[in-house]
């Protein structure tokens, strides 16, 4: 007989570049060492960097093995950064978009079209595939991306009619940095451009753990902290954002793969410290 009193669980993994990937892997591995297995969630929601980590977590991949791999250079990675010109346009999108998420999304879509990436779609595809631990959709994984034309946030899963590679590639397609991704007759950009974490997508679950490498608030769109506070009215919610050591380890450019090992180690160290509070949310 099904236990109707069972608490539903969600893990939300936010965006944060290649360093965010490493930091999240470090956190998850440390929690696992402390007896907290986030893979037993009912749903894992990944945005941008979080979609890569979410794929591994949701598929049951050996997270310690993935953690160890963060200390070995990935030859497919490239060091990229967002230009000051594009950064200015990002800021303007939030200024003029105010609290209208759809309008902000459309502005970011325009940026992606007007300022094409210097990285080819083929090279980006290679990078995406090198980061993924599987190309088979895990049943509990959901991945976000934004429609570049309409600005709408979409959530993809195994029943969405596109490949995992396509969905994850789109989820991390930062405008002006990586090329936009085309499938299902639409162009897609990074799911974290409007909200870096999209934590609100887990608001119907009883227990929620949120990892957010980029918790900063932009414009009038609710921050991940504000989303978490709202969710705490009806659920047990734990939010982990980089502590001071992790901020230093990540550095100024989250897209710099040379910072990966430092970010992973800092995430692991922080995860050990966070374990007691996470245990109260997740295991009790």
């Amino acid at each position: 007989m099904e236990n109707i009193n069972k608490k539903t669980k969600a893990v939300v993994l936010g965006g944060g570049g290649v360093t965010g990937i490493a930091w999240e892997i470090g956190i998850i591995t440390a929690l696992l060492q402390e007896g907290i297995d986030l893979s037993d969630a009912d749903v894992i929601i990944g945005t941008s960097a979080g979609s890569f980590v979410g794929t591994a977590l949701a598929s049951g991949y050996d997270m310690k093995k993935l953690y160890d791999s963060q200390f070995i250079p990935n030859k497919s990675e490239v060091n990229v950064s967002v230009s000051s010109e594009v950064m200015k346009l990002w800021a303007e999108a939030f200024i003029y978009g105010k609290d209208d998420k759809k309008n902000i999304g459309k502005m970011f879509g325009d940026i992606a079209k007007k300022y094409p990436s210097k990285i080819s779609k083929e090279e980006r595809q290679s990078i995406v595939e090198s980061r993924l631990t599987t190309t088979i959709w895990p049943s509990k994984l959901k991945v976000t991306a934004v429609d570049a034309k309409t600005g709408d946030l979409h959530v993809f899963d195994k029943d969405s009619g596109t490949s995992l590679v396509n969905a994850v590639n789109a989820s991390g397609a930062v405008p002006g940095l990586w090329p936009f991704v085309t499938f299902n007759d639409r162009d897609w950009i990074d799911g974290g451009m409007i909200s870096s974490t999209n934590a609100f997508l887990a608001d119907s679950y009883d227990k929620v753990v949120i990892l957010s490498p980029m918790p900063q608030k932009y414009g009038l769109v609710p921050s991940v902290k504000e989303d978490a506070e709202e969710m705490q009215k009806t659920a047990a919610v734990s939010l982990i954002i980089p502590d001071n050591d992790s901020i230093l380890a990540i550095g100024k450019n989250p897209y710099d793969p040379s910072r990966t090992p430092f970010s992973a180690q800092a995430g692991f160290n922080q995860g050990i410290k966070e374990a007691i509070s996470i245990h109260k949310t997740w295991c009790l």
Side-chain angles (χ1 to χ4, degrees):
M1 180 180 294
E2 184 179 354
N3 181 3
I4 60 175
N5 295 317
K6 180 185 177 183
K7 299 292 186 180
T8 57
K9 295 180 175 182
V11 172
V12 181
L13 303 171
V18 69
T19 55
I21 292 174
W23 179 79
E24 290 180 351
I25 291 169
I27 293 278
I28 292 168
T29 305
L31 294 179
L32 189 59
Q33 178 175 292
E34 297 299 300
I36 303 166
D37 186 359
L38 296 185
S39 72
D40 67 6
D42 297 290
V43 67
I44 296 170
I45 303 169
T47 289
S48 198
S51 67
F52 292 95
V53 182
T55 295
L57 185 64
S59 67
Y61 191 79
D62 184 340
M63 296 304 294
K64 178 60 167 62
K65 181 178 179 181
L66 188 58
Y67 174 73
D68 290 341
S69 74
Q70 302 306 297
F71 297 88
I72 303 170
N74 180 350
K75 295 180 181 179
S76 295
E77 293 285 357
V78 292
N79 189 344
V80 292
S81 61
V82 181
S83 70
S84 57
E85 183 178 11
V86 170
M87 284 287 286
K88 181 180 178 182
L89 292 173
W90 285 8
E92 289 177 353
F94 284 105
I95 292 171
Y96 296 114
K98 298 183 179 180
D99 61 348
D100 186 337
K101 292 183 178 181
K102 186 171 181 177
N103 195 26
I104 294 169
K106 288 171 65 176
M107 291 183 191
F108 276 116
D110 290 340
I111 293 170
K113 299 291 182 67
K114 293 178 181 178
Y115 293 84
S117 171
K118 296 179 181 178
I119 304 298
S120 70
K121 291 192 175 187
E122 292 75 19
E123 186 174 7
R124 173 58 177 169
Q125 177 103 353
S126 176
I127 294 169
V128 169
E129 291 175 352
S130 75
R131 294 178 181 175
L132 286 173
T133 55
T134 182
T135 57
I136 300 172
W137 266 107
S139 60
K140 62 177 67 175
L141 177 67
K142 296 184 183 296
V143 171
T144 68
V146 172
D147 186 317
K149 183 177 181 180
T150 68
D152 289 317
L153 180 71
H154 285 247
V155 180
F156 297 98
D157 59 22
K158 64 182 180 60
D159 299 318
S160 296
T162 193
S163 70
L164 177 65
V165 173
N166 275 345
V168 173
N169 195 355
S171 189
V174 180
L177 187 73
W178 304 115
F180 60 84
V181 181
T182 303
F183 58 85
N184 293 355
D185 297 322
R186 298 185 184 186
D187 297 325
W188 303 95
I189 59 171
D190 194 303
M193 296 315 298
I194 302 167
S195 168
S196 68
T197 310
N198 295 306
F200 63 89
L201 293 172
D203 64 0
S204 64
Y205 291 82
D206 300 312
K207 297 183 176 184
V208 184
V209 171
I210 306 166
L211 306 189
S212 181
M214 288 183 171
Q216 300 88 341
K217 180 178 174 65
Y218 296 102
L220 299 179
V221 176
S223 67
V224 65
K225 291 181 181 179
E226 291 169 330
D227 281 342
E229 288 171 359
E230 183 65 27
M231 294 160 64
Q232 283 169 345
K233 295 177 182 178
T234 57
V237 181
S238 288
L239 169 63
I240 305 179
I241 64 175
D243 60 14
N244 289 334
D245 289 342
S246 291
I247 290 171
L248 289 173
I250 289 169
K252 295 182 178 180
N253 179 14
Y255 310 106
D256 179 0
S258 73
R259 305 302 303 175
T260 293
F262 307 108
S263 302
Q265 183 66 65
F268 185 90
N269 294 344
Q270 185 177 350
I272 296 295
K273 298 175 185 176
E274 302 274 4
I276 293 177
S277 64
I278 301 302
H279 185 272
K280 293 177 182 178
T281 296
W282 200 250
C283 303
L284 299 182

